[in-house]
Amino acid sequence: MAEIEAAIGRPLPDNFSDQLKLATLARFRTDLKEVSGATDFIRRFAHIPRGIASSSSIDRLQLCLSVLALEAEFGPHVYSADMVARGKPHPDIFLYAASKLGVNPSECLVIEDSAGGIRAAIAAGMTAVGLCAASHIRDGHDVKLRDAGAVHLAQSWSDVERIALQFFGP
C-alpha cells in the first residue's frame, strides 16, 4: 500500500484494503476461470493426498474453490499463510500442509507459479514444479522460477501430469 500511495502522491482511504478485498472477491465470483486442464489434473490424481498451501486468505481460497466447483476435491486440506507464522518464501505453509496431510516433505510435489513459492517449497525439502500456464504469466517467468529452484518447468497442466506420473508413478 505504501508503494501505491507513493505512486499516486497521496494516502489511500482508511478502508482501501477492505474495499479492495471485497472488489476482488466480487470479480472472482463473475470472472474466475479455470486454467485449462487444472480440474482434469486434480481429478486424475485424486488417489494421492493433496492440499492447497497458498499465500491467499482462506476466504479467497474457499470462494475460488466454490466458483470452480472444486471444494470436494480438497475437503479440509486448504491452508492459508494466515495459519502459520511466516508466509512464502519461508517453508512454513508447506510444512504445515504436509504435517496435516501426514506426508513426509521429501515425498511432496509442489506446483507453484511464483518464485517465492518455489523458494518456500525448496526450503521445505520438497520437489518444486514451476507452472507457467495461467493468464497472468508473462514471458521470462519460467527463468524466474528456474532461478528460484524449480526442478521442473511446466507450460501446461498436461506437462504437470507427465511430471507427476514420473514422480508418483502410474
Side-chain angles (χ1 to χ4, degrees):
M1 288 184 31
E3 289 180 28
I4 295 171
E5 289 175 335
I8 63 173
R10 60 184 161 77
L12 291 166
D14 290 339
N15 66 348
F16 177 80
S17 182
D18 292 335
Q19 292 301 314
L20 178 61
K21 179 180 176 180
L22 290 173
T24 300
L25 294 177
R27 185 80 186 264
F28 280 1
R29 284 185 193 93
T30 60
D31 295 350
L32 184 67
K33 303 286 185 251
E34 170 194 7
V35 175
S36 181
T39 298
D40 290 340
F41 174 84
I42 291 164
R43 293 189 174 137
R44 165 75 171 83
F45 291 93
H47 61 289
I48 294 174
R50 77 288 187 66
I52 295 175
S54 176
S55 294
S56 291
S57 65
I58 197 70
D59 56 337
R60 181 173 169 170
L61 293 169
Q62 289 170 338
L63 174 64
C64 291
L65 289 171
S66 175
V67 168
L68 298 172
L70 291 171
E71 304 104 310
E73 303 300 328
F74 294 96
H77 301 292
V78 179
Y79 310 106
S80 166
D82 296 338
M83 299 172 171
V84 295
R86 302 174 302 170
K88 299 173 187 176
H90 299 285
D92 303 26
I93 188 64
F94 289 128
L95 294 172
Y96 181 75
S99 172
K100 290 292 193 178
L101 288 163
V103 179
N104 186 314
S106 67
E107 297 172 351
C108 294
L109 184 69
V110 173
I111 303 158
E112 254 298 340
D113 66 358
S114 74
I118 295 290
R119 286 191 290 278
I122 299 304
M126 300 175 177
T127 301
V129 175
L131 179 61
C132 298
S135 60
H136 69 279
I137 303 298
R138 301 291 174 244
D139 287 342
H141 193 68
D142 55 341
V143 174
K144 292 177 186 176
L145 298 179
R146 175 74 73 193
D147 289 349
V151 293
H152 303 282
L153 292 174
Q155 300 301 318
S156 68
W157 280 100
S158 294
D159 290 347
V160 177
E161 182 173 345
R162 283 189 286 280
I163 295 162
L165 286 169
Q166 291 172 354
F167 190 81
F168 295 114

